[in-house]
Amino acid sequence: AQAQVAGGWEAGRLKTGTLDGTLAIHAPTNAPLRVEGPLRFAGVAFDTADGSIAGENVAAQIDLRTTFGAPTQVSIDGALHGGDLLFGNAYLALQQRRVGIGLPATQHANEGWRLPRLRWDDDGILHAEGNAALAADTTLRSLDVLARSADLSRLRDGYLTGFLGLAGLADLQLRGAADLRLRVEDGTLHDAFFKPHVVAIDDPRGRFDFAGLEGDLRFSSSAAVDSELRWSGGRLHGLDFGAARLPFGSGVAQAPGR
């Protein structure tokens, strides 16, 4: 299995786990080789030499369809059934939850992978759809994703602990729901949209609290956009404050005289 992984992901290293399934191999004389069928993974562990990507106790049941040619095409459709995943600073604790996934990908020659329709469905916690492109060294070239969480408390435990820990906010508690859209081109953030729905933010260390956070927060690198966050109350280092609004502006700086 390591040889197959290396063919599409040279940096990847399989460590442990079991694989069960039935694959049909189609090798016509005048057409690309095709491999397809259902696969089941259990107790899978993998990593990279630099430790930036890793997985432990990952289980999954997927339908795999691959075509080896020009281009190479891979389609994965199915579900994860628990595990722990690390992607850079993002730590995903899936526990034993079922997470629906959809991942078609295309690669031309020695170019990077294009992923035209991404789907991630962790029911009630995180639903995301979008597309992405990777460079030949697997670094992110572009990303356009729309995500929604109906329960930020569970999103925090399942997806945000790595980022919060780095920010010194490991104990931060979240409640409410939120929508997010991100668009990245050539590794640079071009557009972002964040919309909280009656969000509560509670820092157990007493540094700050916000209640009833709503509104929206927008960013654009190419157009002027206005947005506003508002909240019903909160506390800052022990001092209570009431309802307030905080406007934001984002736009493109112009040269003097224009």
Side-chain angles (χ1 to χ4, degrees):
Q2 178 64 53
Q4 281 69 38
V5 170
W9 182 29
E10 293 183 1
R13 305 185 303 188
L14 286 176
K15 297 165 62 179
T16 61
T18 61
L19 168 65
D20 180 30
T22 302
L23 293 177
I25 300 175
H26 307 276
T29 303
N30 298 317
L33 174 69
R34 292 185 293 117
V35 179
E36 56 189 26
L39 295 174
R40 292 178 295 277
F41 301 86
V44 172
F46 59 88
D47 65 8
T48 57
D50 62 4
S52 62
I53 299 176
E56 290 286 344
N57 297 318
V58 178
Q61 187 168 352
I62 64 171
D63 288 321
L64 175 69
R65 294 187 298 276
T66 61
T67 301
F68 299 94
T72 296
Q73 297 177 312
V74 178
S75 176
I76 296 173
D77 187 68
L80 298 174
H81 294 275
D84 299 305
L85 299 168
L86 178 70
F87 300 97
N89 295 326
Y91 172 64
L92 282 58
L94 302 182
Q95 300 177 334
Q96 300 300 313
R97 298 192 306 274
R98 181 190 185 280
V99 179
I101 56 173
L103 181 67
T106 301
Q107 184 184 44
H108 292 268
N110 295 322
E111 298 178 3
W113 288 92
R114 293 187 176 275
L115 301 87
R117 293 183 307 278
L118 300 174
R119 177 178 59 87
W120 182 276
D121 190 7
D122 193 350
D123 189 32
I125 302 177
L126 178 63
H127 178 81
E129 294 183 350
N131 60 78
L134 305 178
D137 61 358
T138 72
T139 58
L140 183 67
R141 289 182 53 194
S142 68
L143 174 69
D144 190 345
V145 61
L146 179 63
R148 174 174 175 77
S149 174
D151 188 342
L152 291 181
S153 64
R154 298 175 69 192
L155 180 77
R156 176 215 176 278
D157 295 339
Y159 295 87
L160 302 181
T161 56
F163 297 113
L164 292 175
L166 285 174
L169 299 170
D171 299 328
L172 191 73
Q173 301 300 309
L174 300 172
R175 296 186 301 278
D179 295 293
L180 174 70
R181 184 184 181 186
L182 296 174
R183 186 170 72 87
V184 174
E185 293 290 344
D186 296 324
T188 301
L189 179 64
H190 276 231
D191 298 284
F193 168 77
F194 172 70
K195 186 175 181 63
H197 302 280
V198 197
V199 169
I201 303 175
D202 179 15
D203 176 21
R205 299 185 184 182
R207 291 169 291 184
F208 58 88
D209 300 300
F210 289 91
L213 184 64
E214 295 192 90
D216 62 4
L217 182 61
R218 299 173 183 268
F219 166 81
S220 174
S221 64
S222 60
V225 293
D226 294 321
S227 56
E228 178 186 84
L229 289 178
R230 56 186 182 272
W231 52 85
S232 59
R235 179 175 296 184
L236 183 63
H237 290 289
L239 299 177
D240 293 329
F241 56 84
R245 298 172 179 267
L246 182 61
F248 293 90
S250 171
V252 180
Q254 293 186 341
R258 291 190 177 182

